Amino acid sequence: MEIVCTRPTCPRPENHFADLENPGTLTTVQQKFCTACGMPLILSGRYLPEKLLGKGGFGAAYLARDRYTPTLRPCVVKLFQPSGDLSPDQMQLAQSLFQREAAVLEDLGNKHRQIPDLYAFFPLIVPGTSPGSQEEYFYLVQEFIDGEDLEQTLARQGPFPPEDITEVLVSMLKVLKFVHDNGTIHRDIKPSNIMRHRNGTLFLLDFGAVKQVTTGQGNPSGKSTGIYSIGFAPPEQMAGGTVYPSTDLYALAVTCITLLTGKEAGELYDSYNNTWAWRAHAQITPAIADVLDRMLQPIPNQRYASAQAVLETLRQATATVSKTSSASISQTSSTATGGSAQSPSPSTSIQGNPSPKQRSVQPSTSPGKATAQTTGKSIAKSQAQSSASQTSLASTPLLPFLGGAAFTGVEGGLLAIALASLLGTTWLGSGTWLILVAGLILLQARQVIERFDLVIIAALTFGFVLILPPLQTVLVGTAAPRLVIAVIAVMAGLIAIAIGTLFRLIYRLLSTLM
């Protein structure tokens, strides 16, 4: 088994222990030490670091295994070890932020399923690399989210489609509502801190920069500590001023527009006018764009006051789009068919209530994701339906159009043969046959008969005509009557296709000219 040394200065952190492949040895051995620097490798007696996930200014993160669980449960071990020369005050502040992250995960993680759980938090004092010295490290062990953060997704697939942005926005707003309602501000919302699990659930990560809202907790002054990500932090945070729930809303909006456009935040910010110029680089529902623009206002009180306020605005915008699209569809359907259409109920999937923590076996699509996806897709679907209401003969799908024409021709030919056989050829000129053909077209227009109905009806009619008396007085030639009937039906279908195609081209040409 491979175990990675977590000492930052270790010259060769990879270690291999063949005896740990034995389950009995794995769970009973007291400790293993790094063969290069002597650092204890089994953290807190149970956590086995396997792989370095990444390094930052405050330390490193490792993928580890818990040897005291039946499945060797994967987890993330975060090491607190600030880089650079920090003053005692800076070191104390950094350590308090790390401890605060552990406290927040313990308080919030077990209550909300989109925030990782805390498993352990402990210090470790070990002999230093120089004789007689000691080194102190702090470790935080949390739930491992098996997936990909949104920064990695953006690099892999490019800009996000609008419906995915709506999903991210709604899902994170629900998490932030829960976080803010519990007296905490995250202060570091960005794509790399949002992780999508393999089952689709979005998680909010990295609570190392959190601040308690209530005065007297965390930072007593209520001021920002200077921990933020450039480009995503609003002006009040960058200036070291007081942070608010709307501070997180600003960063979330920047996250959404960078994912939507695929551009860096600096490319979208107009420093001359102190505004965000992103709309020209993206296509998204105007109502959603208006919400993002308000979240991006430079002054905190010009933004939404809370995540719940944003969710309510999005819910109303979604309902308005749905009603408008439904009314357009209803009017078009009524005009085309002479009937009436009922409008579907507007979407109400955007709700601000957080989901309870669920740690049982989760379905592949979680309720939180399903709600967010429904929201995004309902808006996209409404736009598509609104466009569909303006469709015409020229934009009708070609294959269904030709199939309908073929059915009309074949069925019309068979009906003509049946009428001539039963009532004589004089009935063909009386207009009865044309009325029947018009009825077929009307039934197709109203979608009373469609798809497989066309084939079934044509086959039944063909079978019925075959049992009629042979039309020796009507049909010319000596071919068998059944073959002749089939030939006439096929020819009638081809003629109908040709006529329909001609009218379609003429209609398209006239539509272009007018």
Side-chain angles (χ1 to χ4, degrees), residues 57-59 78-80 82 90-106 108 115-116 118 121 140 142 179 184-190 192-193 204-212 218-219 223-229 237 248:
F58 284 84
K78 299 181 72 172
L79 165 66
F80 171 72
Q90 290 173 324
M91 177 63 75
Q92 182 178 2
L93 173 61
Q95 183 174 331
S96 69
L97 289 173
F98 190 71
Q99 293 173 337
R100 188 182 301 164
E101 178 177 11
V104 169
L105 289 179
E106 182 179 32
L108 303 183
I115 299 174
L118 176 74
F121 178 75
L140 180 157
Q142 68 180 45
V179 171
T184 300
I185 298 173
H186 187 280
R187 297 194 310 152
D188 197 21
I189 307 292
K190 57 184 177 180
S192 60
N193 282 341
L204 181 59
L205 309 180
D206 198 356
F207 283 79
V210 296
K211 174 192 173 296
Q212 298 298 322
N219 184 11
K223 299 294 185 66
S224 172
T225 60
I227 306 301
Y228 56 81
S229 296
Q237 188 176 3
D248 283 343

Side-chain angles (χ1 to χ4, degrees), residues 155-302:
R156 176 176 56 81
Q157 72 175 27
F160 283 42
E163 58 269 22
D164 286 359
I165 293 300
T166 307
E167 176 204 350
V168 172
L169 177 60
V170 173
S171 184
M172 287 299 102
L173 282 171
K174 291 181 178 181
V175 180
L176 287 178
K177 179 185 183 303
F178 173 79
V179 171
H180 297 162
D181 288 348
N182 281 271
T184 300
I185 298 173
H186 187 280
R187 297 194 310 152
D188 197 21
I189 307 292
K190 57 184 177 180
S192 60
N193 282 341
I194 302 175
M195 176 81 74
R196 185 184 294 279
H197 193 281
R198 290 184 182 274
N199 66 15
T201 304
L202 290 169
F203 284 79
L204 181 59
L205 309 180
D206 198 356
F207 283 79
V210 296
K211 174 192 173 296
Q212 298 298 322
V213 177
T214 306
T215 303
Q217 296 183 11
N219 184 11
S221 67
K223 299 294 185 66
S224 172
T225 60
I227 306 301
Y228 56 81
S229 296
I230 296 176
F232 295 89
E236 71 271 13
Q237 188 176 3
M238 296 182 66
T242 303
V243 293
Y244 312 91
S246 63
T247 300
D248 283 343
L249 300 182
Y250 181 101
L252 177 58
V254 178
T255 296
C256 287
I257 64 174
T258 55
L259 295 174
L260 181 64
T261 62
K263 295 182 178 295
E264 298 286 342
E267 299 180 63
L268 302 174
Y269 183 70
D270 183 356
S271 58
Y272 185 80
N273 295 303
N274 193 28
T275 58
W276 290 89
W278 63 274
R279 288 206 186 199
H281 305 284
Q283 296 292 330
I284 195 169
T285 306
I288 304 297
D290 291 341
V291 169
L292 291 173
D293 277 339
R294 182 172 172 184
M295 294 170 67
L296 290 168
Q297 291 299 308
I299 302 176
N301 65 7
Q302 293 178 345

Side-chain angles (χ1 to χ4, degrees), residues 1-7 9-20 31-42 129:
M1 174 178 283
E2 299 290 337
I3 304 182
V4 176
C5 177
T6 58
R7 192 195 300 269
T9 58
C10 180
R12 188 174 55 80
E14 293 81 11
N15 295 268
H16 179 75
F17 298 97
D19 58 330
L20 295 184
Q31 186 57 270
K32 290 289 186 179
F33 297 90
C34 178
T35 56
C37 69
M39 176 80 171
L41 298 177
I42 305 179
T129 54

Side-chain angles (χ1 to χ4, degrees), residues 285-287 315-333 341-347 378-379 381-390:
T285 306
R315 187 193 67 78
Q316 294 174 357
T318 304
T320 301
V321 171
S322 298
K323 288 180 180 178
T324 302
S325 300
S326 299
S328 176
I329 296 170
S330 176
Q331 182 178 1
T332 302
S333 176
Q342 294 182 344
S343 300
S345 300
S347 171
S378 64
I379 295 176
K381 182 178 181 180
S382 297
Q383 290 177 311
Q385 289 176 335
S386 179
S387 299
S389 67
Q390 302 174 2

Side-chain angles (χ1 to χ4, degrees), residues 17-32:
F17 298 97
D19 58 330
L20 295 184
E21 302 293 341
N22 186 322
T25 304
L26 177 64
T27 56
T28 57
V29 67
Q30 292 297 311
Q31 186 57 270
K32 290 289 186 179

